Amino acid sequence: PLIITLTQFLSQKVTMPEPEGEQAETLKRTQAILKYIPLMVGFFALQVPSALCLYWFTSNNFTFLATVTIKNYYKNNPPVIDWDFMEELSKSGGMSAFKLEMPANMEEALADARLNARPPRESRRLSGNYEPALLAPAVEAVLAAE
């Protein structure tokens, strides 16, 4: 149980994001509450079969190692994100396959987004004008079952 508590604490410490920005205060309060979870897991480890403890220990170690490995990889090899690919694609004529046109400016893009915020579609609900001829077989089936 002591080893599980330690590995749970390390795993939680590595996976928690650093508090920053607007939500730093909320994240700090959340982390203050969550810091007691490893102690709870350690207490639960006293009550459960040893195979479950072994599972928790293995899971904590894999989580810790995977998180550290991925964070180190992206720290050493930050991804390059090309945000202008749509503009380049439209200039080269590649957008014609998608039948999309880039807006001329941001105001036009916002107006287009507001206009197309909810795509039109036909309602799947019955409108309330129920045709008795359509409902008759269903009503007869229910009455026959009784």
Side-chain angles (χ1 to χ4, degrees):
L2 185 62
I3 294 172
I4 291 173
T5 304
L6 179 65
T7 59
Q8 180 74 27
F9 176 75
L10 290 174
S11 177
Q12 183 178 0
K13 191 77 169 170
V14 169
T15 57
M16 285 282 189
E18 292 296 323
E20 60 184 38
E22 298 174 0
Q23 298 179 354
E25 189 63 33
T26 306
L27 192 57
K28 284 180 184 178
R29 278 186 270 154
T30 303
Q31 287 178 351
I33 294 169
L34 292 178
K35 71 181 178 184
Y36 295 107
I37 288 182
L39 297 174
M40 290 173 48
V41 169
F43 175 74
F44 295 149
L46 293 170
Q47 312 296 323
V48 297
S50 61
L52 185 57
C53 295
L54 181 62
Y55 170 76
W56 285 341
F57 175 75
T58 307
S59 175
N60 289 338
N61 286 331
F62 278 129
T63 301
F64 177 79
L65 291 174
T67 304
V68 168
T69 303
I70 291 169
K71 282 186 175 183
N72 284 336
Y73 175 80
Y74 281 112
K75 182 179 177 184
N76 296 330
N77 304 308
V80 177
I81 301 172
D82 184 18
W83 294 105
D84 300 326
F85 72 95
M86 291 286 280
E87 291 177 11
E88 292 172 9
L89 196 60
S90 68
K91 289 176 186 172
S92 67
M95 295 292 283
S96 61
F98 299 107
K99 297 180 181 161
L100 298 173
E101 294 181 18
M102 292 295 290
N105 53 35
M106 185 57 83
E107 288 79 24
E108 187 178 317
L110 289 173
D112 191 39
R114 283 189 202 103
L115 178 68
N116 296 312
R118 180 183 287 169
R121 66 176 181 86
E122 292 182 25
S123 177
R124 295 184 197 171
R125 297 182 181 159
L126 295 174
S127 63
N129 298 330
Y130 303 114
E131 292 289 329
L134 294 176
L135 293 177
V139 171
E140 290 173 7
V142 170
L143 293 176
E146 292 178 354

